[in-house]
Amino acid sequence: MSTPFPFTAVVGQDDLRLALLLNAVSPAVGGVLVRGEKGTAKSTAVRALSALLPEVDVVLGCRFSCAPGAPDPVCPDGPHETGPGSSRPARVVELPVGASEDRLVGALDIERALAEGVKAFEPGLLADANRGVLYVDEVNLLHDHLVDLLLDAAAMGSSYVEREGVSVRHAARFLLVGTMNPEEGELRPQLLDRFGLTVEVAASREPDLRVEVVRRRLAYDDDPASFAARWADEENALRARIVAARALLPEVRLGDAALRQIAATCAAFEVDGMRADIVMARTATTLAAWAGRTVVLAEDVRQAALLALPHRRRRNPFDAPGLDEEKLDDTLEEFGGGDDTPEDDPDPDGPGGGGQPPQDGPEGPQDGPVDAAEAPAQPEEPAQPEEAQGGRPAGSGEQSAVRATEPFRTKMLSVPGLGEGAAGRRSRARTDHGRTTGSRRPQGTLTKLHLAATVQAAAPHQRARGRSGRGLVVRRDDLRQATREGREGNLVLFVVDASGSMAARQRMSAVKGAVLSLLLDAYQRRDKVGLITFRGKDATVALPPTSSVDAAAVRLESLPTGGRTPLSAGLLKAHDVLRVERMRDPARRPLLVVVTDGRATGGPDPVALGTRAARLHAAEGTASVVVDCESGPVRLGLAGALAGELGGTAVTLDELRADSIAGLVRDVQGASGAHRRVA
């Protein structure tokens, strides 16, 4: 077994370490979500926590970690008699992003269940994590059906496995810890709310701190055991402090004044539901115990708010998480005062400096990640407006970026045909979840049994197999996998016209609002998105295909306009991007969304070049939609002609709204299907 990096050797990241330690003291806090850029010690700190967790008492031989004093009455390994058990280290179980449903919840042996009538159950990761920690690295990339299972287990404290009328239930109470890089996409609101606390981590920009990070990492890589031994005293001291805080926790008093501050803070920041109030109360109580106090103070409430509220304030995926600390201080002051500070209370800073985790030994400064992060990319300078022949300015010249109008709910645009891409909510696809459409022989492990097809396959062979009783003699060759149809996520590639003609009559604000609305729709449907803009002389990939719609929204907001309209350059750039993405992820089907008024200017014969570029997409069967931004009493219909060359359909900005017309999806599919069928 490899030696983990010592928790106390992590340089800095005080909020991250504090949040993890609070959950170690009181699992009722509800877990922690760690957000931050790559290389900031997120995973290192979580894995290091396992060595600090107190041991747990379990029933000897129980695969589900039942407590000896109160075993689960319906445990699949039970029934258990109450009595002394055995102790073992607490587990930190890792859930891989690509795990299957059976690996998470466990699996029944369907063949034995049908042939012998027994519940032969192989536990999954939820059983392993019972009374421990379930850690999900890159939790924002977890498939939707696994997220649903996690939500159910976290809400009920149990896991249910159902297979064709045969069911198993077992306890699944775990501390949920997740890490994520926001650049790779956001988390579903339902799962986001299940994390008690959240922290933002970033790499230090101080050279001395980064030097200490590298020094410790290199020392650990050279000799992990020796490095861990150097930090053994700090680890033991921190472990003892966790035990002491756990023992003190039942004695901590949460006074009425602190409760009023908690309720007022949650109301002031307009968080949804009551879970935030409960998590704040538990966190503030745990902070007091961690500081060695028996009374919750205003400083505990403040720290609890900073940890428990930022991720609960987001109204849409484009809202940045965080709290207005000035507003927080004003709310606490307005509703402060009361009975929270007894005369004999110990030093508010207490051991650990008022709730902060202990600082490192004399080896060096205390901040930054274990792994150095890359410096953020410098923003691109906006292109200068193109000049036409003869030195005259082309188009309307560059204009400063305008703000988008308020986003709205859009009609669903989908790719025609039946795909087999990643699970999502946009286009029809063969998936592991959805309505049953048929059966086939299983390829690998059987996951979804088609009972009728299995019985039909086994029935003709009963006499040859010597059937004598009432049971059906089933062999593995008889088993049939159910084929199901659900929805997939697509790659939605936006090609946005940012030329001078789009800036006329202040249309760009409405265009940005429409694209922002489509981005919000893509977020909800679990799509990947990309953004290409064209103006002046060329087209630019403003955002390569990514799962982060936040990044696309930021790039869109700062988009300037002006210059000529190189339509062909935008379409050719989109063709190059889609060609690369087909090699990287061939199962994910693209949807091309071109936002333009259809004009093409600049260079020799720009209209013919645009037509040829559009026909490239049509020849490859790329599903496409043209959002027609033309306005005014006189319309040229250029966007509609472009949609015809692409083999797609055109919709106006007004028609894009969900409440404007019925059957937009049918129109998109019908127009696309007239030119090709995408299987």
Side-chain angles (χ1 to χ4, degrees):
M1 182 177 178
S2 61
T3 303
F5 193 93
F7 189 86
T8 51
V10 174
V11 179
Q13 306 296 20
D14 289 341
D15 286 344
L16 167 59
R17 296 196 294 164
L18 176 61
L20 292 172
L21 290 170
L22 292 178
N23 279 278
V25 172
S26 175
V29 167
V32 58
L33 174 66
V34 187
R35 297 165 46 95
E37 58 195 24
K38 52 188 175 293
T40 48
K42 301 187 298 294
S43 300
T44 299
V46 174
R47 295 186 176 106
L49 180 68
S50 61
L52 301 176
L53 297 175
E55 292 188 338
V56 295
D57 294 330
V58 297
V59 173
L60 188 63
C62 178
R63 298 174 296 169
F64 303 88
S65 303
C66 283
D72 184 359
V74 295
C75 175
D77 284 354
H80 303 300
E81 295 183 0
T82 57
S86 61
S87 296
R88 63 158 175 79
R91 292 172 179 164
V92 176
V93 178
E94 294 195 35
L95 171 60
V97 170
S100 65
E101 178 181 336
D102 287 346
R103 183 72 187 98
L104 177 62
V105 301
L108 291 170
D109 190 328
I110 302 298
E111 185 176 4
R112 291 189 62 191
L114 288 175
E116 304 173 28
V118 297
K119 295 181 181 179
F121 180 68
E122 183 66 28
L125 295 177
L126 290 181
D128 293 340
N130 188 34
R131 304 180 64 206
V133 177
L134 182 64
Y135 170 49
V136 190
D137 192 15
E138 306 294 351
V139 63
N140 51 323
L141 304 182
L142 202 62
H143 290 303
D144 276 359
H145 66 285
L146 297 183
V147 170
D148 293 336
L149 293 170
L150 276 182
L151 289 173
D152 291 342
M156 299 183 295
S158 300
S159 175
Y160 289 85
V161 182
E162 302 282 348
R163 290 292 188 275
E164 302 296 341
V166 182
S167 63
V168 171
R169 188 206 72 84
H170 66 82
R173 300 186 182 277
F174 50 84
L175 181 66
L176 185 60
V177 178
T179 56
M180 61 175 283
N181 183 349
E183 294 177 356
E184 297 173 341
E186 280 297 337
L187 202 59
R188 281 176 55 183
Q190 297 93 330
L191 184 57
L192 191 64
D193 190 51
R194 286 293 173 185
F195 288 98
L197 311 179
T198 185
V199 292
E200 297 277 340
V201 295
S204 172
R205 301 301 182 234
E206 293 292 332
D208 290 343
L209 298 177
R210 298 176 75 95
V211 166
E212 184 61 23
V213 169
V214 176
R215 180 182 293 120
R216 294 188 186 182
R217 187 73 215 189
L218 292 178
Y220 171 77
D221 291 341
D222 288 342
D223 190 348
S226 176
F227 183 82
R230 290 165 51 193
W231 293 89
D233 291 343
E234 287 82 356
E235 292 283 288
N236 290 333
L238 189 55
R239 191 179 297 109
R241 187 178 171 190
I242 293 173
V243 173
R246 280 192 172 191
L248 183 62
L249 186 61
E251 302 177 19
V252 177
R253 182 169 62 88
L254 182 65
D256 289 342
L259 276 173
R260 283 194 298 272
Q261 287 181 320
I262 290 171
T265 301
C266 292
F269 286 100
E270 300 179 347
V271 297
D272 294 332
M274 295 298 296
R275 182 174 284 117
D277 303 64
I278 297 171
V279 171
M280 271 192 67
R282 289 172 175 166
T283 304
T285 303
T286 308
L287 281 164
W290 182 247
R293 289 185 267 101
T294 58
V295 172
V296 175
L297 303 179
E299 64 193 62
D300 300 321
V301 176
R302 186 182 192 279
Q303 183 67 58
L306 292 174
L307 292 172
L309 296 188
H311 61 300
R312 294 186 165 89
R313 293 192 59 248
R314 305 188 78 189
R315 290 293 181 265
N316 65 64
F318 309 131
D319 292 338
L323 288 183
D324 183 342
E325 294 195 30
E326 184 177 348
K327 179 179 179 181
L328 173 60
D329 291 335
D330 292 342
T331 303
L332 294 176
E333 183 178 354
E334 179 182 354
F335 291 89
D339 56 351
D340 285 353
T341 309
E343 295 180 359
D344 59 348
D345 193 64
D347 181 1
D349 289 338
Q356 294 298 325
Q359 299 300 308
D360 296 340
E363 288 205 30
Q366 305 286 318
D367 200 8
V370 170
D371 298 312
E374 297 178 2
Q378 297 298 320
E380 296 180 1
E381 296 183 3
Q384 298 300 316
E386 179 192 27
E387 297 214 343
Q389 295 179 358
R392 292 174 297 179
S396 59
E398 182 174 307
Q399 300 185 18
S400 59
V402 298
R403 295 187 63 85
T405 58
E406 194 69 21
F408 52 85
R409 189 167 65 89
T410 67
K411 277 285 185 181
M412 187 178 79
L413 310 176
S414 66
V415 179
L418 190 65
E420 294 182 347
R425 297 188 180 90
R426 184 172 297 279
S427 305
R428 295 173 54 230
R430 301 181 186 92
T431 61
D432 292 334
H433 298 267
R435 63 185 182 90
T436 300
T437 58
S439 65
R440 59 175 173 81
R441 290 182 179 273
Q443 299 171 352
T445 303
L446 178 70
T447 56
K448 299 290 183 181
L449 178 74
H450 194 296
L451 183 58
T454 299
V455 172
Q456 186 176 6
H461 308 290
Q462 296 305 295
R463 179 174 297 179
R465 293 174 183 173
R467 173 184 171 185
S468 58
R470 299 176 59 185
L472 189 67
V473 181
V474 179
R475 303 282 171 80
R476 184 164 296 276
D477 290 343
D478 301 327
L479 300 179
R480 294 295 182 269
Q481 174 85 23
T483 57
R484 302 194 174 196
E485 182 179 312
R487 294 279 174 179
E488 68 176 359
N490 298 109
L491 166 60
V492 182
L493 183 61
F494 294 94
V495 181
V496 180
D497 184 350
S499 65
S501 64
M502 296 291 289
R505 295 182 291 276
Q506 298 181 343
R507 276 187 285 169
M508 201 60 194
S509 181
V511 168
K512 285 187 176 182
V515 177
L516 196 64
S517 303
L518 289 167
L519 284 171
L520 181 60
D521 181 68
Y523 164 79
Q524 295 168 340
R525 302 191 187 281
R526 312 299 287 174
D527 295 316
K528 289 180 69 174
V529 297
L531 178 63
I532 293 173
T533 63
F534 60 94
R535 57 186 289 272
K537 295 181 179 180
D538 204 356
T540 302
V541 180
L543 184 71
T546 175
S547 296
S548 176
V549 296
D550 296 46
V554 171
R555 304 291 172 88
L556 179 71
E557 191 68 25
S558 59
L559 178 68
T561 58
R564 292 193 180 275
T565 312
L567 175 62
S568 61
L571 295 177
L572 290 175
K573 184 71 73 174
H575 183 269
D576 291 341
V577 170
L578 293 180
R579 177 178 54 81
V580 173
E581 286 301 309
R582 284 190 181 100
M583 292 187 290
R584 288 177 177 172
D585 190 0
R588 188 181 290 269
R589 298 185 296 162
L591 175 62
L592 183 67
V593 179
V594 184
V595 185
T596 181
D597 56 10
R599 289 179 171 84
T601 61
D605 204 358
V607 176
L609 287 175
T611 298
R612 287 201 292 270
R615 289 174 180 172
L616 278 177
H617 290 281
E620 294 187 354
T622 303
S624 58
V625 178
V626 178
V627 180
D628 185 358
C629 303
E630 191 175 28
S631 60
V634 179
R635 294 176 178 266
L636 302 178
L638 299 177
L642 174 63
E645 298 294 347
L646 285 167
T649 189
V651 296
T652 65
L653 290 175
D654 290 337
E655 291 172 338
L656 194 59
R657 294 180 178 272
D659 54 358
S660 61
I661 57 172
L664 178 58
V665 176
R666 183 184 64 248
D667 292 342
V668 172
Q669 293 178 341
S672 302
H675 294 79
R676 78 274 179 217
R677 295 293 177 187
V678 182

